[in-house]
Amino acid sequence: MSEAAPLYDTYMRAPLRFERGEGVWLFTESGERYLDFAAGVAVNSLGHAHPHLIGALKDQAEKVWHLSNLYEVPGQEKLSRRLTEATFADKVFFTNSGAEALECAIKTARRYQYSIGHPEKFHIVTFEGAFHGRTLATIAAGGQEKYLEGFGPKAPGFDQVPFNDMDALKAAITEATAAILIEPVQGEGGIRTVSKEFLRELREICDANGLLLIFDEVQCGVGRTGKLFAHEWAGITPDIMAVAKGIGGGFPLGACLATEEAASGMKAGTHGSTYGGNPLAMAVGGAVLDVVLEEGFLEHVRDVALVFRQGLAALQDRFPTIIEEIRGEGLMLGIKAKVPSSELLMAMRGEHVLGVPAGDNVIRLLPPLITTAEEARDGLARIERAAEALATAQLKKSA
Ligand SMILES: *Cc1c(COP(=O)(O)O)cnc(C)c1O
């Protein structure tokens, strides 16, 4: 069936065929139900078929689908105002994806240095384990060999240092450095949280050296950690921030946010995107914000996160040969497995609960932000059964 489809072989797809979703549930073609703690890798922030998002998309679909950026686009004006009111930023550029938001962030930082008379400053310091997308610039920024191999020379201007290594970071800064780029919580790298102290020190280093601080909040942003943006926990702000995934709730949407000063080099003609800021995307992005910014919503995220946290800690205690560590912030959680994480993920799938593989032998749990405490407990019970099955198999093997 799917084996014969003339698709690129770039994805290792699980043999699951979903045709419908509702809230935290996905339904296969044959009507089986799965608890979706993958959420399209943190994209379906409000779960599936959220009535408010459906309403916004339908209303806009009957008005106008696409307008060129040759014209004023009222939906962009409205959403940019709401985003800047809710964040550090003064300016927004809309994209269709995370990688494009990062491309814009990188270009904004380089162009800023250029426009203040420092064209030699175009290097960006990044961190091991980072993931910033799959374009030629963002694979260079991410620095992972498995994504760079065979695609020609690595795009110049990205200097990588070990995760959480302040001395290495300081040593990497030169006369050619323009900016520092970091995910406040690494997603694909294995749900690794950067400490508040480290983020604050990055801010100080950037200020002292005339560098721009860029946060990649494509995965950890838009309520995922229990604040609108993850960096808010550290009480500091970046100069530039890339956002995508959760902000569209499933509609392709990304954004690059910047302060007035950081964006000052991006004059008319310096950047563009055909679809970026498409009216359908603007309508859905606005609807996502309606819900996430509602009084009490982020508090709900934090409350449900606590249910997960406590439940997962109990599972770690009970199955020390299966689960090594629980990581993460809010509803961006990681189970570091003691067995190959693919085995635990398969066992979870057997219990009809979905997670996402990550680096460092970690399984990501990225449940929709609307997950209730009851649904969290349902998921925990499924993960418990999966861990139990693996533990029983271990005992049989050693007997
Ligand atoms: C997913 C992701 C990206 C890339 O987003 P795309 O929409 O796939 O281009 C960039 N940065 C982070 C942190 C991500 O999780």
Side-chain angles (χ1 to χ4, degrees):
M1 227 179 358
S2 54
E3 282 148 81
L7 292 163
Y8 264 41
D9 298 318
T10 47
Y11 299 111
M12 292 208 290
R13 300 173 192 273
L16 288 169
R17 300 172 74 85
F18 297 113
E19 66 169 5
R20 191 170 68 78
E22 198 184 311
V24 296
W25 298 96
L26 276 173
F27 298 83
T28 65
E29 288 174 347
S30 53
E32 293 189 336
R33 194 171 83 134
Y34 284 75
L35 192 47
D36 186 11
F37 287 174
V41 191
V43 166
N44 301 103
S45 47
L46 303 184
H48 302 279
H50 192 289
H52 188 58
L53 303 199
I54 292 174
L57 185 61
K58 279 188 172 165
D59 282 350
Q60 186 58 47
E62 284 169 7
K63 291 179 189 156
V64 62
W65 287 23
H66 182 74
L67 289 168
S68 170
N69 286 308
L70 292 167
Y71 314 112
E72 293 177 2
V73 181
Q76 290 184 21
E77 294 169 6
K78 193 168 166 205
L79 188 55
S80 64
R81 277 206 190 93
R82 294 185 70 190
L83 284 170
T84 52
E85 272 165 21
T87 64
F88 72 95
D90 307 307
K91 296 276 199 177
V92 181
F93 183 91
F94 288 111
T95 70
N96 314 289
S97 68
E100 287 169 284
L102 264 302
E103 289 273 344
C104 181
I106 293 162
K107 286 178 77 173
T108 300
R110 287 184 175 176
R111 185 81 188 183
Y112 167 77
Q113 299 290 2
Y114 168 89
S115 69
I116 62 164
H118 288 295
E120 79 286 358
K121 290 187 190 288
F122 66 91
H123 281 246
I124 296 178
V125 182
T126 67
F127 293 85
E128 280 173 12
F131 182 78
H132 299 300
R134 298 295 204 105
T135 62
L136 289 166
T138 55
I139 56 175
Q144 295 204 46
E145 199 44 50
K146 62 178 175 178
Y147 297 147
L148 286 159
E149 189 188 350
F151 294 117
K154 183 180 160 203
F158 297 97
D159 306 316
Q160 196 155 60
V161 298
F163 185 79
N164 237 340
D165 188 335
M166 193 48 76
D167 292 334
L169 170 86
K170 285 178 182 160
I173 294 170
T174 70
E175 287 302 305
T177 305
I180 297 171
L181 166 60
I182 191 165
E183 296 157 83
V185 184
Q186 278 192 352
E188 136 130 17
I191 309 292
R192 297 197 293 176
T193 303
V194 181
S195 73
K196 290 176 195 162
E197 295 71 32
F198 196 92
L199 288 179
R200 287 182 197 134
E201 204 169 341
L202 289 183
R203 180 69 271 172
E204 284 168 20
I205 288 170
C206 284
D207 291 342
N209 293 279
L211 308 180
L212 296 176
L213 183 57
I214 309 172
F215 287 158
D216 178 348
E217 293 228 18
V218 168
Q219 195 165 146
C220 61
V222 195
R224 179 68 35 204
T225 66
K227 294 264 191 198
L228 185 57
F229 289 102
H231 67 262
E232 293 171 28
W233 290 109
I236 48 113
T237 58
D239 301 292
I240 304 171
M241 176 169 71
V243 179
K245 293 204 165 100
I247 194 168
F251 201 92
L253 170 61
C256 176
L257 279 64
T259 63
E260 178 104 45
E261 193 188 358
S264 61
M266 300 300 275
K267 302 284 184 226
T270 53
H271 197 46
S273 164
T274 296
Y275 285 122
N278 168 287
L280 295 170
M282 296 300 97
V284 179
V288 169
L289 279 191
D290 289 341
V291 177
V292 173
L293 294 177
E294 221 168 69
E295 176 106 25
F297 186 84
L298 293 173
E299 206 173 356
H300 161 81
V301 171
R302 295 193 288 268
D303 288 347
V304 175
L306 209 60
V307 175
F308 271 104
R309 211 51 211 221
Q310 289 170 344
L312 290 170
L315 292 185
Q316 183 195 344
D317 284 346
R318 218 181 121 196
F319 302 106
T321 61
I322 308 296
I323 298 174
E324 183 173 327
E325 193 190 355
I326 303 301
R327 302 174 170 179
E329 304 299 318
L331 291 179
M332 187 171 182
L333 293 157
I335 304 173
K336 184 168 164 66
K338 206 68 173 256
V339 295
S341 59
S342 56
E343 285 178 19
L344 182 54
L345 198 61
M346 282 287 273
M348 284 166 54
R349 197 187 298 157
E351 297 295 334
H352 286 205
V353 58
L354 305 174
V356 185
D360 207 17
N361 207 38
V362 166
I363 294 169
R364 277 176 277 183
L365 298 182
L366 304 162
L369 307 182
I370 53 146
T371 303
T372 63
E374 195 182 334
E375 289 160 344
R377 282 190 281 270
D378 183 343
L380 287 162
R382 289 165 193 266
I383 298 168
E384 179 176 4
R385 289 198 293 274
E388 192 151 33
L390 293 181
T392 307
Q394 273 180 343
L395 278 178
K396 277 201 184 127
K397 229 196 233 164
S398 64

